[in-house]
Amino acid sequence: MVETITEADIAGAERLLGLAYTAKERAQMVGNLDGQRDLMIARRDLRLDNGTPMACRFDPRLPGFAMPHGIDALHPSEITAPLPSEPEDIAFAPLTNLSHWVRSGQISSRALTDLYLARIELLNPRLECFATVTPDLARAEADAMDALLGAGVWLGPLHGIPYGLKDLFDTRGITTGWGAEPFQNRVPDSDAAVTTRLRAAGAVLLGKTTVGALAYNDLWYGGWTRNPWNLNEGSSGSSAGSASATAGGLCGFSIGTETLGSITSPSQRCGTTGLRPTFGRVSRVGAMALCWSLDKVGPICRSVEDTALVLAAINGGDVRDRGSIAAPFHFDARAGIEGMTLGYLPEAFEDGATDVDRAALAAAKDLGIKVKEVTLEDLPYASLMTVVYAEAAAAFEALTLEDTDDTLRWQDDGAWPNTFRKARFVSAVDLVQTDRLRYRVMQALGEMMSGVDALIGPFSTGPMLVASNFTGHPCLHLRAGFEDIASRSMASLGAGKLTTGDAAGETTFTVPQGISLWGQLFDEGPLLNLGMALEKKLGVADRRPTFPN
């Protein structure tokens, strides 16, 4: 039986919400709060599954926005490099090269698939980056792609290329466990939209890459996904397995998702190139929902141009996804960057920035384009996090109401279930006001980006990680250099903290560090052209991990 609400209960709730009412105001409210509470309890009796979307939908476009392109166009670089003799050189090759070798018959899709399956068998026990491996399916798909090529049919740049799919995308008849114990035996009866589009593009599914439980961190029901550059630390999350497998040369490319750093953070940790496209560009149908107004789907690769080939394959509107926005994707590898203007926030390169960050900015200034300081309106950007907490708590309401989260391998009290419970004490009024703040943030970033083609900065320094995820702007994160540092502790986002500080004599590891570029809404092409130029200037993309313990 639910007890009657008293004035003392209201006074206690005020402290949780940061409010202060008078005794008279509490007396006025107390009579009708029972009914308000009972309506909420009655709604909870209707169980909403993860696939039921919100009626409200987020649109990143401000008034007056016009799509920058009218039709799709993909013009990749012409590759003439011959097939290497060493399997490892093939495994770590850019997707552009792999595509050329398969199309020209220098290597069959079956041989490439077997090469990657062998690396998975050898290295997955150490990296724990694949939750499920599908060798029979992969070989069958590869054989089918070879047969099509033999018949003169080429499906595009991904034809015959083996890849890893983050284990929150449905794959018919194949376990899709969301990284979490309550769902580890979940087997969907249909494919996600991304799964279908990649199959249509000719890509070969090697298996499901690990995801931190319910898209948090790099811990999952089967273990702890590791960074190939230092096996003593995790690969960050939540696209943990996708970044680890790609960085380790266990696949040609992979697919990740980002709500708030889940593509860029593991790319920072593992040294991969991650592209978080504009919100709404890629369908999320058949993908686990964490936050309906924030979730985005994108590629994780080993070079900038590779991300364009993958995005072209998965791009497209989908009426089944309430957040989907039909937008052409236009990329031409031959396009130059002459005349571009790159902005940066000077404070982002001060406290908290690394030598690699500053060197990346210096390299950008040497590209022959205009680089200028910009400013961003001072707003309480961190307050937007309330939206993440509330939407995620709603997406997994049953988990905490029924206490099934007790089966999860959480490492500290800051993990998702505790956050879900705390979100119950966010007021509806504050949530609406936070949504209005989000619109102000859209205006602020729109104003800042109006004078530049792109912005450069450390991905987790300053407001841009949070702000750009909430505005829906695209972000490209690429390797910029290396640092010698001690093993880092578990962290959901970013570099994490040193486990034992930097005491003298502590073992250090050479690990990659990256830099982020943010671009204009639905105009990823110029962003990638700029990224290609910066990647070439920095000259660190080809270095491979040695999997040190």
Side-chain angles (χ1 to χ4, degrees):
M1 180 178 178
V2 180
E3 297 182 359
T4 300
I5 296 173
T6 66
E7 293 176 37
D9 294 331
I10 298 173
E14 290 168 31
R15 290 192 294 276
L16 286 173
L17 297 172
L19 298 171
Y21 294 131
T22 65
K24 181 179 179 180
E25 289 166 340
R26 294 186 197 108
Q28 291 173 332
M29 284 187 286
V30 74
N32 59 28
L33 279 176
D34 290 320
Q36 179 174 291
R37 175 200 57 198
D38 293 345
L39 290 174
M40 292 185 288
I41 292 174
R43 200 279 312 149
R44 290 176 203 151
D45 290 337
L46 174 65
R47 181 163 180 166
L48 301 171
D49 64 31
N50 185 264
T52 303
M54 295 168 58
C56 298
R57 57 188 297 269
F58 173 69
D59 190 325
R61 297 169 292 186
L62 288 166
F65 176 85
M67 282 292 173
H69 304 285
I71 58 172
D72 291 313
L74 178 66
H75 301 288
S77 299
E78 292 186 9
I79 303 298
T80 58
L83 181 74
S85 58
E86 292 297 322
E88 183 175 294
D89 293 335
I90 299 172
F92 279 97
L95 176 55
T96 49
N97 289 39
L98 295 175
S99 179
H100 167 65
W101 296 332
V102 170
R103 187 182 188 187
S104 61
Q106 297 182 60
I107 189 171
S108 66
S109 176
R110 176 63 180 265
L112 185 59
T113 298
D114 283 338
L115 186 156
Y116 281 125
L117 287 173
R119 290 185 64 82
I120 292 171
E121 184 177 6
L122 175 67
L123 293 168
N124 192 53
R126 301 177 71 191
L127 294 175
E128 298 180 5
C129 58
F130 273 90
T132 302
V133 185
T134 55
D136 293 340
L137 173 64
R139 291 187 175 107
E141 290 186 345
D143 288 344
M145 292 304 103
D146 287 336
L148 281 177
L149 273 181
V153 178
W154 184 66
L155 299 178
L158 302 188
H159 188 118
I161 306 299
Y163 79 102
L165 182 63
K166 187 175 180 177
D167 195 33
L168 52 65
F169 291 97
D170 282 351
T171 41
R172 183 171 62 88
I174 302 170
T175 301
T176 302
W178 299 352
E181 284 80 353
F183 307 101
Q184 62 180 310
N185 297 316
R186 178 181 176 274
V187 179
D189 57 10
S190 61
D191 287 324
V194 164
T195 310
T196 300
R197 288 179 179 176
L198 286 170
R199 184 182 298 114
V204 172
L205 179 64
L206 292 168
K208 308 298 288 294
T209 52
T210 57
V211 51
L214 307 179
Y216 182 96
N217 219 313
D218 42 32
L219 286 166
W220 58 290
Y221 59 77
W224 179 31
T225 303
R226 311 305 175 100
N227 178 8
W229 300 86
N230 176 5
L231 297 178
N232 301 287
E233 65 182 20
S235 63
S236 185
S238 67
S239 301
S242 292
S244 178
T246 304
L250 276 65
C251 56
F253 69 93
S254 60
I255 300 295
T257 64
E258 174 153 330
T259 301
L260 194 72
S262 287
I263 288 176
T264 53
S265 181
S267 290
Q268 164 81 349
R269 179 67 66 94
C270 297
T272 50
T273 303
L275 174 61
R276 184 192 78 212
T278 305
F279 177 88
R281 181 181 276 288
V282 181
S283 173
R284 303 165 301 177
V285 170
M288 185 203 88
L290 183 66
C291 298
W292 293 274
S293 75
L294 285 155
D295 296 344
K296 312 159 200 76
V297 181
I300 295 179
C301 301
R302 286 185 290 270
S303 77
V304 172
E305 186 174 354
D306 289 358
T307 66
L309 306 189
V310 180
L311 181 57
I314 61 177
N315 178 61
D318 191 335
V319 295
R320 300 170 298 168
D321 179 353
R322 287 186 56 78
S324 177
I325 298 171
F329 172 59
H330 192 283
F331 171 75
D332 187 345
R334 302 163 298 183
I337 61 171
E338 297 80 8
M340 292 184 78
T341 299
L342 179 65
Y344 70 97
L345 295 165
E347 61 270 24
F349 290 91
E350 295 170 358
D351 293 342
T354 67
D355 290 341
V356 172
D357 296 327
R358 298 185 183 96
L361 177 60
K365 291 179 178 179
D366 285 341
L367 292 176
I369 60 174
K370 182 178 181 181
V371 180
K372 70 175 188 178
E373 295 183 6
V374 295
T375 59
L376 182 62
E377 184 181 356
D378 185 15
L379 294 170
Y381 294 98
S383 296
L384 293 170
M385 291 297 296
T386 302
V387 176
V388 175
Y389 304 149
E391 289 193 29
F396 291 100
E397 179 180 58
L399 195 72
T400 48
L401 288 184
E402 300 170 6
D403 291 326
T404 51
D405 63 290
D406 292 341
T407 63
L408 293 165
R409 296 176 64 244
W410 302 107
Q411 297 298 303
D412 56 62
D413 62 0
W416 274 141
N418 188 48
T419 301
F420 296 165
R421 291 186 174 93
K422 290 190 294 185
R424 289 285 182 185
F425 300 104
V426 174
S427 78
V429 174
D430 285 320
L431 194 59
V432 171
Q433 295 297 72
T434 303
D435 191 59
R436 298 176 72 195
L437 167 64
R438 186 175 188 174
Y439 192 80
R440 282 285 307 277
V441 171
M442 292 167 64
Q443 292 175 315
L445 258 70
E447 175 63 25
M448 180 188 69
M449 297 292 289
S450 65
V452 299
D453 295 288
L455 184 82
I456 187 172
F459 96 100
S460 62
T461 302
M464 284 302 292
L465 173 63
V466 173
S468 66
N469 265 290
F470 277 88
T471 61
H473 282 78
C475 178
L476 174 70
H477 191 79
L478 66 151
R479 188 188 300 177
F482 292 86
E483 288 191 328
D484 293 330
I485 59 175
S487 298
R488 291 160 288 189
S489 63
M490 237 170 271
S492 180
L493 294 174
K497 299 178 181 179
L498 299 181
T499 52
T500 55
D502 53 358
E506 186 176 6
T507 302
T508 62
F509 296 83
T510 301
V511 294
Q513 300 290 305
I515 197 74
S516 284
L517 297 171
W518 293 270
Q520 299 290 347
L521 293 172
F522 297 107
D523 202 12
E524 287 85 350
L527 180 68
L528 297 180
N529 291 131
L530 180 60
M532 290 174 64
L534 184 58
E535 179 182 64
K536 183 177 180 180
K537 185 74 174 179
L538 292 167
V540 295
D542 292 336
R543 188 166 172 177
R544 302 172 189 170
T546 56
F547 309 95
N549 286 104

